[in-house]
Amino acid sequence: MRWRATNLFLASAHRVVDLNDPESVAAAEEWWLDLTGQGGEGMVVKPLGFLARSRKGLEQPAVKVRGREYLRIIYGPEYTRPENLERLRARGLNAKRSLALREFALGIEGLERFVHREPLRRVHECVFGVSALESETLDPRL
């Protein structure tokens, strides 16, 4: 069988949520509870624009949100007990956010270099940079 580009991509379900519209938020919450109630593992939340910026600069490009049952597998059957939730909420996520932003920025830089037909070694510098960042030790459950 000969592969064509159309065989490589599969559209996934998505929702656009207006955080300033209570009805939009309520519909998203209902969808989320239905998804995870049927065994769905989670979702990825992204800003509408490819690059989101705030006063502080580039925003995190995406956040994984996991369902209750998935989290139970990761953190144990009693993760929802108040003392366990308190401990989980107290973990610092800044290192993980920083890593995600640096990896994303290197990916964008690599694409820019490729589009501008820079030498392949210059594109590979970005790829190696992401690989080096992946070697940082962080809690893999974050």
Side-chain angles (χ1 to χ4, degrees), residues 121-142:
R121 67 175 171 74
R122 295 270 296 141
V123 176
H124 285 168
E125 288 172 352
C126 297
V127 175
F128 295 140
V130 171
S131 294
L133 289 173
E134 287 292 326
S135 68
E136 288 189 22
T137 55
L138 289 175
D139 183 349
R141 298 172 298 176
L142 292 177

Side-chain angles (χ1 to χ4, degrees), residues 20-34:
N20 297 313
D21 176 8
E23 288 181 22
S24 180
V25 172
E29 287 174 355
E30 184 178 330
W31 172 82
W32 171 253
L33 292 173
D34 188 46

Side-chain angles (χ1 to χ4, degrees), residues 1 11 18 27-28 32 35 40 54 57 59 65 73 76 88 93 108 111 116-117 126 128 141-142:
M1 176 170 144
D18 180 352
W32 171 253
L35 171 77
S54 70
E59 287 288 325
V65 181
I73 292 167
L88 290 172
L93 297 176
I108 297 296
L111 285 171
H116 290 108
R117 299 182 181 264
C126 297
F128 295 140
R141 298 172 298 176
L142 292 177

Side-chain angles (χ1 to χ4, degrees), residues 38-93:
Q38 294 178 23
E41 165 175 310
M43 66 179 168
V44 175
V45 177
K46 299 179 181 181
L48 257 180
F50 182 69
L51 290 174
R53 296 186 185 276
S54 70
R55 293 184 324 250
K56 297 179 182 178
L58 193 62
E59 287 288 325
Q60 186 169 340
V63 176
K64 279 185 196 172
V65 181
R66 300 296 192 177
R68 183 172 283 229
E69 291 309 311
Y70 180 90
L71 295 173
R72 195 174 308 286
I73 292 167
I74 300 301
Y75 296 115
E78 296 183 344
Y79 92 94
T80 55
R81 293 182 63 180
E83 63 272 14
N84 291 334
L85 287 175
E86 189 175 319
R87 179 181 48 82
L88 290 172
R89 287 186 181 120
R91 295 178 309 164
L93 297 176

